[in-house]
């Protein structure tokens, strides 16, 4: 990376113009590095250093006042039934949330943007408002709505439909349902905003041209709207995959650190349980490294498959 | 004529449909709001329910918060400060980075973009403990700076600004160069304003992230008068549930400023989108 900077420097010297230093700072070869500089610093201090430190910790047994190098012993312990349970829960959650949080907001945004809906601002605001709550507050509300008593909203609805009341926080399927509903409720509105912002930037001329060619509403959606939305579809789904694997609070708010039969345990929850709860930071770090590799591989595959590394359309 | 009728039917379906959707999304908030006026014993017993005895609604929960919970208000002030700092700093730095990644050709550009994605992919939870050690060593624990620091250059915002800036007209930059503008002038005077809609969207998102941030502040904040709202509220969430009343009224008051922020930015958002100049 230093090479282009040096080249520019010598170019400037050769030209021997006034304000050399400013000229140097304003050169097209230097400017992008200055813009990116704060990011570089924050990457080194806030990500690279702690990541390396975390990886080193994953090869250590860390007891108070006593740190020993134990090679791969932590990793040998990682692949146990509890970890697989956590990974299964997390993967299920990722798949469900990616589907829901990409498709539903896109459809809602397209419908909101159509001429058939009048109170756009009001509807958009209503759908977005859940995102204003924290996971802690939102989770508390859903705990109260899905509480085990017959009088809670969820059980009143279930009873009305002729089913028995459900102990929502104590079954595998309903535990997953709680977490997915909480996340969907909070995030659909945010993703609708992303899709709307992109929809507004699609040129009317494209649609006018399509009208002249006699395209149907479906064809316009298929050949104009969805291709134009692709950058945001990739953005939203990538973020959802990554956040899904990092999920912790949605589980914590329902069961704190331990759920019956680990039905709410996620990989990050397992890190927290082992690293902080059991104070086994070496083992916690090893789980973290494994998780990091899983996220890394899946995201890269996904981004390559969707062509994100290619230069923008222009 | 026939088409007109068709449209009226569709409009009716569209608006009624969205009214129902809006109601479903708002229902939990309405439930929270009504519950905040219910006696805490009822709330403990029933949860949020359709069967509300309206004669029991009262202001006790709020009276308590306003009169006997001074620390709640210091948490409130702390959250306002932390969120304000986060929005200002992260929008400035992240938009700069995203813009450079999208519109300049330079060596290492793809590498930087991969680094952005890498940071997004690394669970903060594994960076948290080593970072916490740094905070302790530099004696930054229990300061606003420590809370804000990890959010200053937000990879999600960089990613979003980059995607958005890819759609900005590059010809404008060349035109400005011909007019003698500096590269910094191009960014601050021309391109930054053009990124308005994305800035508004990210202001909302960063404000939210910061206002609702939980795990990191929990680690670096120690004294009660430095707590932010989520941390403070969590201390009320004892296993005995004896603070449910304050917790629920406090939660309602927590949502209000962020609603104001959203309404405030929504205007800019819509104005920015309709002023054109985005992507032709």
């Amino acid at each position: 990376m230093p090479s282009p900077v040096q080249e520019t420097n010598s170019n400037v010297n050769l030209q021997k113009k006034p304000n050399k230093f400013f000229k140097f700072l304003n050169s097209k070869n230097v400017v992008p590095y200055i813009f990116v500089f704060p990011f570089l610093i924050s990457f080194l201090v806030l990500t690279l250093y702690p990541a390396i430190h975390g990886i080193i910790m994953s090869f250590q047994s860390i007891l108070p006042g006593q740190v020993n190098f134990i090679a791969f012993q932590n990793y040998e312990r990682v692949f146990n039934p509890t970890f697989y349970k956590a990974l299964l829960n997390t993967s299920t959650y990722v798949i469900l949330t990616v589907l829901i949080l990409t498709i539903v907001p896109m459809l809602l945004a397209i419908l909101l943007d159509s001429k058939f809906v009048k109170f756009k601002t009001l509807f958009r605001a209503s759908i977005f408002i859940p995102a204003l709550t924290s996971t802690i507050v939102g989770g508390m509300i859903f705990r109260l709505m899905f509480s085990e008593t017959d009088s809670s909203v969820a059980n009143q609805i279930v009873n009305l439909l002729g089913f028995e009341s459900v102990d929502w926080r104590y079954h595998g399927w309903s535990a997953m349902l709680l977490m997915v509903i909480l996340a969907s409720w909070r995030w659909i509105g945010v993703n609708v905003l992303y899709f709307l912002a992109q929809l507004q930037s699609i040129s009317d001329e494209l649609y006018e041209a399509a009208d002249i060619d006699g395209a149907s509403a479906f064809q316009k959606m298929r050949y104009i709207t969805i291709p134009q939305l692709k950058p945001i579809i990739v953005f939203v789904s990538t973020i959802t995959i990554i956040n899904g694997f990092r999920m912790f609070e949605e589980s914590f708010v329902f069961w704190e650190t331990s759920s019956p039969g680990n039905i709410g345990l996620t990989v990050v929850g397992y890190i927290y349980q082992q690293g902080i709860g059991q104070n086994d930071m070496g083992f916690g770090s090893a789980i973290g490294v494994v998780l990091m590799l899983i996220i890394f591989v899946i995201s890269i595959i996904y981004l390559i498959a969707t062509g994100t590394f290619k230069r923008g359309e222009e | 004529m026939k088409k007109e009728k068709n449209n009226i039917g569709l409009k009716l379906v569209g608006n009624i449909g969205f009214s129902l959707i809006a109601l479903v999304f708002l229902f939990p908030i309405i439930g929270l709001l009504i519950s905040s006026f219910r006696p805490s014993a009822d709330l403990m017993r029933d949860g949020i329910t359709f069967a509300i005895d309206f004669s029991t609604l009262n202001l006790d929960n709020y009276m308590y918060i306003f009169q006997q919970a001074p620390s709640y208000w210091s948490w409130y002030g702390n959250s306002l400060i932390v969120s304000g700092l986060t929005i200002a700093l992260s929008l400035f730095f992240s938009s700069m980075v995203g813009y450079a990644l999208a519109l300049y050709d330079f060596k290492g550009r793809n590498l930087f973009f991969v680094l952005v994605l890498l940071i997004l992919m690394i669970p903060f939870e594994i960076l948290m403990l080593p970072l916490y050690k740094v905070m302790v060593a530099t004696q930054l624990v229990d300061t606003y700076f420590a809370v804000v620091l990890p959010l200053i250059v937000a990879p999600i915002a960089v990613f979003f600004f980059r995607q958005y800036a890819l759609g900005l007209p590059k010809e404008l930059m060349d035109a400005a160069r011909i007019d003698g503008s500096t590269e910094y002038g191009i960014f601050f005077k021309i391109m930054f304003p053009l990124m308005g809609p994305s800035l508004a969207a990210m202001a909302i998102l960063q404000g939210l992230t910061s206002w609702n941030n939980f795990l990191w502040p929990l680690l670096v904040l120690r004294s009660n008068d430095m707590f932010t709202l989520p941390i403070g509220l969590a201390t009320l969430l004892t296993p005995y549930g004896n603070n449910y009343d304050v917790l629920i009224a406090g939660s309602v008051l927590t949502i209000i400023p962020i609603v104001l922020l959203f309404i405030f930015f929504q205007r800019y958002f819509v104005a920015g989108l309709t002023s054109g100049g985005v992507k032709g």
Side-chain angles (χ1 to χ4, degrees):
Chain A
M1 226 152 305
S3 57
V5 178
Q6 280 162 5
E7 274 167 31
T8 324
N9 207 351
S10 55
N11 286 343
V12 171
N13 285 340
L14 281 175
Q15 286 167 356
K16 295 213 170 172
K17 287 202 174 164
N19 273 330
K20 255 187 278 175
F21 184 64
F22 181 74
K23 204 100 214 198
F24 168 73
L25 278 185
N26 195 36
S27 123
K28 261 168 87 179
N29 290 328
V30 178
V31 168
Y33 294 104
I34 292 175
F35 281 151
V36 171
F37 188 69
F39 169 74
L40 187 64
I41 294 293
S42 95
F43 170 73
L44 293 177
V45 176
L46 299 173
T47 305
L48 190 64
Y49 167 75
I52 290 171
H53 198 101
I55 290 169
I56 293 172
M57 278 160 62
S58 74
F59 293 103
Q60 291 171 333
S61 136
I62 300 167
L63 299 167
Q66 194 187 344
V67 176
N68 291 317
F69 179 76
I70 56 166
F72 287 94
Q73 283 179 39
N74 287 326
Y75 287 94
E76 283 158 21
R77 285 167 57 210
V78 167
F79 299 95
N80 63 60
T82 312
F83 175 79
Y84 287 126
K85 176 73 183 164
L87 190 59
L88 181 69
N89 287 341
T90 302
S91 310
T92 313
Y93 176 87
V94 168
I95 292 166
L96 291 173
T97 50
V98 166
L99 290 176
I100 293 172
L101 289 178
T102 309
I103 295 170
V104 175
M106 185 173 76
L107 293 178
L108 287 178
I110 291 173
L111 291 173
L112 263 182
D113 199 45
S114 77
K115 55 182 185 289
F116 304 118
V117 181
K118 199 176 173 195
F119 310 101
K120 296 178 200 295
T121 315
L122 181 72
F123 291 141
R124 186 182 61 195
S126 309
I127 295 171
F128 184 80
I129 277 177
L132 308 177
T133 63
S134 63
T135 314
I136 302 298
V137 170
M140 185 194 68
I141 299 173
F142 276 79
R143 266 178 88 148
L144 289 170
M145 280 175 47
F146 286 82
S147 87
E148 281 69 39
T149 59
D150 290 335
S151 54
S152 70
V153 163
N155 278 334
Q156 280 176 319
I157 292 173
V158 165
N159 291 341
L160 200 70
L161 297 173
F163 297 100
E164 297 272 303
S165 294
V166 178
D167 290 342
W168 297 96
R169 285 165 57 226
Y170 300 95
H171 300 288
W173 66 271
S174 56
M176 184 56 65
L177 186 79
L178 286 179
M179 294 188 285
V180 172
I181 284 186
L182 176 57
S184 305
W185 180 70
R186 288 186 61 243
W187 282 100
I188 282 176
V190 177
N191 293 353
V192 166
L193 285 190
Y194 289 142
F195 280 111
L196 276 176
Q198 187 77 7
L199 277 173
Q200 314 263 348
S201 77
I202 299 178
S203 159
D204 287 337
E205 288 155 28
L206 284 175
Y207 291 111
E208 282 159 18
D211 281 335
I212 291 167
D213 291 345
S216 69
F218 175 78
Q219 282 172 322
K220 279 189 267 184
M221 173 142 159
R222 168 76 181 77
Y223 293 105
I224 301 176
T225 313
I226 291 181
Q228 291 283 324
L229 284 178
K230 197 187 161 200
I232 295 296
I233 295 175
V234 173
F235 171 74
V236 164
S237 51
T238 310
I239 299 301
T240 310
I241 290 173
I242 294 167
N243 281 343
F245 276 109
R246 295 172 52 176
M247 193 269 274
F248 169 68
E249 282 178 47
E250 278 84 355
S251 160
F252 186 85
V253 75
F254 285 114
W255 300 276
E256 282 87 49
T257 49
S258 66
S259 52
N262 289 328
I263 51 173
L265 186 70
T266 67
V267 177
V268 173
Y270 192 43
I271 297 174
Y272 184 88
Q273 193 189 75
Q274 297 297 317
I276 311 239
Q278 309 286 329
N279 206 15
D280 193 349
M281 284 201 216
F283 186 48
S285 300
I287 307 166
V289 172
V290 172
L291 175 65
M292 196 165 65
L293 291 175
I294 294 172
I295 295 177
F296 191 74
V297 170
I298 289 178
S299 308
I300 292 289
I301 291 173
Y302 185 74
L303 286 172
I304 289 173
T306 52
T308 301
F309 289 112
K310 289 178 203 150
R311 195 71 175 82
E313 300 98 298
E314 284 185 59
Chain B
M1 273 313 238
K2 202 185 162 196
K3 211 173 179 187
E4 277 295 298
K5 261 188 186 168
N6 227 347
N7 278 355
I8 292 170
L10 280 173
K11 273 180 185 163
L12 208 64
V13 172
N15 286 299
I16 292 174
F18 265 99
S19 303
L20 291 175
I21 293 170
L23 197 66
V24 168
F25 276 87
L26 289 180
F27 180 82
I29 306 273
I30 297 167
L32 170 78
L33 202 62
I34 294 174
S35 300
S36 70
F37 296 105
R38 291 170 64 204
S40 58
D42 289 11
L43 194 59
M44 283 286 289
R45 192 183 60 234
D46 297 334
I48 291 176
T49 175
F50 287 121
I52 299 167
D53 181 358
F54 282 93
S55 65
T56 61
L57 300 188
N58 61 64
L59 285 171
D60 288 358
N61 299 337
Y62 290 98
M63 297 292 260
Y64 182 84
I65 264 213
F66 279 103
Q67 289 170 357
Q68 291 169 62
S71 52
Y72 178 82
W73 297 104
S74 74
W75 303 339
Y76 220 110
N78 292 334
S79 276
L80 286 174
I81 293 169
V82 164
S83 301
L85 282 173
T86 304
I87 292 172
L89 294 172
S90 71
L91 252 57
F92 178 72
F93 288 118
S94 307
S95 62
M96 222 159 73
V97 178
Y99 164 78
L101 289 179
L103 296 178
Y104 283 96
D105 276 309
F106 58 102
K107 269 189 194 163
R109 186 181 66 172
N110 274 336
L111 176 74
F112 278 113
F113 185 50
V114 169
L115 289 183
V116 172
L117 298 175
L118 193 72
I119 300 179
L120 266 176
M121 290 167 206
I122 295 175
F124 181 71
E125 290 68 26
I126 87 151
L127 308 178
M128 193 170 69
L129 294 175
L131 262 185
Y132 174 65
K133 280 185 181 170
V134 175
M135 293 297 130
V136 174
T138 50
Q139 296 191 318
L140 284 169
V141 167
D142 226 16
T143 62
Y144 295 131
F145 184 74
V147 182
V148 173
L149 191 64
L151 295 175
I152 290 181
V153 184
I156 185 167
V158 173
F159 189 176
F160 187 72
F161 285 128
R162 183 229 180 227
Q163 298 295 91
Y164 193 87
L166 280 176
L168 294 176
K170 246 186 153 174
E171 312 84 62
L172 273 183
M173 298 170 73
D174 294 328
R177 279 185 198 120
I178 293 165
D179 290 346
S181 176
T182 67
E183 297 295 319
Y184 306 97
I186 294 173
F187 175 63
F188 287 110
K189 289 189 190 138
I190 300 171
M191 301 310 249
F192 192 74
L194 280 183
M195 291 168 82
S198 63
L199 288 167
M202 283 299 114
I204 292 167
L205 190 74
Q206 287 300 101
L208 271 176
T209 308
S210 164
W211 187 258
N212 295 332
N213 203 6
F214 184 70
L215 206 50
W216 176 246
L218 185 69
L219 277 184
V220 293
L221 295 178
R222 283 186 181 160
S223 51
N224 192 55
D225 55 346
M226 283 301 291
F227 282 171
T228 55
L229 277 168
I231 312 302
L233 287 175
T235 64
L236 299 178
L237 194 62
T238 60
Y240 316 106
N242 53 353
N243 285 311
Y244 255 39
D245 42 2
V246 181
L247 186 68
I248 205 158
S251 298
V252 172
L253 297 175
T254 301
I255 299 175
I256 288 172
I258 206 98
V259 170
L260 292 178
L261 181 87
F262 173 62
I263 292 168
F264 179 70
F265 271 99
Q266 181 160 279
R267 269 190 222 146
Y268 283 86
F269 200 69
V270 175
L273 290 172
T274 49
S275 69
V278 182
K279 182 181 168 185

